[in-house]
């Protein structure tokens, strides 16, 4: 095997390992947040990471931990809830990446389950000493608004999200 072929193979393997690590990271959100693992949920983001979900904008791990520990979120857990995130589409570019997911929040109420919200999620990530971490997650309800469609489109194309 020539040095060029070996180098190309190493780049392909690294890209696949990066994509796999990012998919693993993002798909842990639901199980962790639904089981109240505040520290582990916060660790998905960088220390200064931003989670903007159109209900609240949280900056930094402490605010994300506080959301998981909040009475509102603990009420969802106590009543029964499921946050589904995925499937994940990832575009890696060196030490940064962009991913996109749909998410559903399912609540248990009156003996039945209902979808409380369906959301478009655009993720910006960075390779850190801790591994891949989210720097920004922007989520918007899929209620027909163009911004949610723009998050899906730009995320799928590996582009920064639209502003607005």
């Amino acid at each position: 095997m020539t040095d060029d072929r070996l180098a190309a193979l190493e780049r392909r393997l690294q890209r696949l390992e990066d994509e796999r690590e990012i998919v693993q990271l993002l798909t842990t959100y639901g199980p962790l947040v639904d089981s109240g693992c505040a520290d582990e949920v916060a660790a998905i983001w960088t220390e200064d990471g931003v989670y903007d979900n159109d209900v609240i904008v949280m900056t930094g791990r402490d605010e994300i931990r506080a959301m998981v520990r909040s009475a509102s979120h603990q009420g969802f857990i106590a009543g029964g809830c499921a946050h589904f995130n995925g499937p994940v589409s990832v575009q890696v570019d060196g030490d940064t990446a962009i991913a996109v997911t749909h998410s559903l929040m399912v609540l248990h109420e009156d003996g039945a389950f209902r979808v409380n919200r369906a959301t478009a999620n655009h993720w910006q990530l960075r390779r850190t000493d801790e591994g891949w971490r989210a720097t920004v997650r922007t989520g918007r309800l899929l209620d027909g608004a163009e911004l949610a469609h723009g998050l899906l489109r730009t995320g799928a194309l590996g582009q920064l999200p639209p502003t607005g």
Side-chain angles (χ1 to χ4, degrees), residues 42-101:
I44 293 172
W45 278 264
T46 57
E47 282 291 340
D48 60 349
V50 175
Y51 181 9
D52 173 0
N53 70 9
D54 78 20
V55 174
I56 183 173
V57 178
M58 296 161 274
T59 302
R61 289 179 174 168
D62 287 344
E63 290 186 12
I64 295 167
R65 273 187 207 95
M67 177 274 297
V68 176
R69 293 176 178 149
S70 71
S72 173
H73 188 78
Q74 292 299 310
F76 292 143
I77 293 172
C81 72
H83 290 77
F84 288 100
N85 227 355
V88 180
S89 174
V90 180
Q91 307 288 324
V92 176
D93 183 14
D95 291 333
T96 62
I98 292 177
V100 65
T101 61

Side-chain angles (χ1 to χ4, degrees), residues 24-154:
Q24 281 292 111
L25 179 72
L26 301 188
T27 56
T28 63
Y29 179 82
L32 292 173
V33 79
D34 291 336
S35 58
C37 298
D39 291 335
E40 291 80 0
V41 170
I44 293 172
W45 278 264
T46 57
E47 282 291 340
D48 60 349
V50 175
Y51 181 9
D52 173 0
N53 70 9
D54 78 20
V55 174
I56 183 173
V57 178
M58 296 161 274
T59 302
R61 289 179 174 168
D62 287 344
E63 290 186 12
I64 295 167
R65 273 187 207 95
M67 177 274 297
V68 176
R69 293 176 178 149
S70 71
S72 173
H73 188 78
Q74 292 299 310
F76 292 143
I77 293 172
C81 72
H83 290 77
F84 288 100
N85 227 355
V88 180
S89 174
V90 180
Q91 307 288 324
V92 176
D93 183 14
D95 291 333
T96 62
I98 292 177
V100 65
T101 61
H102 288 87
S103 64
L104 298 175
M105 181 181 180
V106 179
L107 296 177
H108 179 251
E109 295 176 343
D110 301 323
F113 292 92
R114 70 173 180 79
V115 175
N116 186 54
R117 54 188 289 136
T119 306
N121 295 278
H122 184 287
W123 299 77
Q124 297 173 64
L125 301 109
R126 184 176 65 229
R127 187 190 319 268
T128 73
D129 292 341
E130 298 175 295
W132 285 95
R133 293 293 181 264
T135 56
V136 179
R137 175 184 177 181
T138 305
R140 292 293 180 270
L141 288 177
L142 283 163
D143 60 1
E146 175 50 32
L147 184 54
H149 299 148
L151 292 174
L152 293 175
R153 182 178 48 257
T154 56

